[in-house]
Amino acid sequence: MSSKTAARKAYGVKLRTPKGIDLIKQLVTKVDVVVENFAPGVISEMGLGYEVLKSLNPHVVMCSISALGQTGPLAMTPGLISSDRPMRT
């Protein structure tokens, strides 16, 4: 681990459970940045959209990553190769 990441922590949380949602809401009060890579709109449907997180921590920065953007005709297209499809090299 480099000195740049020594103070960072990563967690694996089951977001499809009420306990997981509650844990994230607790953690958001202690973090600077939240990064998510769900399809557009999914994190909000879970009750963890930016407005909710901002109400818990007014200084939080949220980064939403998607392969083909948050809007537009291809926004809901998956950006990763499914594990049942071979990768092409």
Side-chain angles (χ1 to χ4, degrees), residues 12-23:
V13 179
K14 294 182 181 180
L15 291 176
R16 304 286 183 187
T17 66
K19 189 174 180 180
I21 297 293
D22 289 342
L23 177 59

Side-chain angles (χ1 to χ4, degrees), residues 5-73:
T5 61
R8 295 181 188 169
K9 295 182 181 178
Y11 297 93
V13 179
K14 294 182 181 180
L15 291 176
R16 304 286 183 187
T17 66
K19 189 174 180 180
I21 297 293
D22 289 342
L23 177 59
I24 293 299
K25 288 180 177 179
Q26 290 172 27
L27 290 172
V28 163
T29 65
K30 298 175 172 88
V31 302
D32 299 316
V33 178
V34 174
V35 179
E36 63 90 4
N37 66 338
F38 289 101
V42 172
I43 198 79
S44 292
E45 291 170 7
M46 292 176 160
L48 295 171
Y50 177 69
E51 292 304 320
V52 172
L53 301 185
K54 185 178 174 185
S55 73
L56 299 168
N57 177 351
H59 303 289
V60 74
V61 174
M62 185 170 190
C63 178
S64 297
I65 301 169
S66 61
L68 300 170
Q70 296 289 308
T71 61

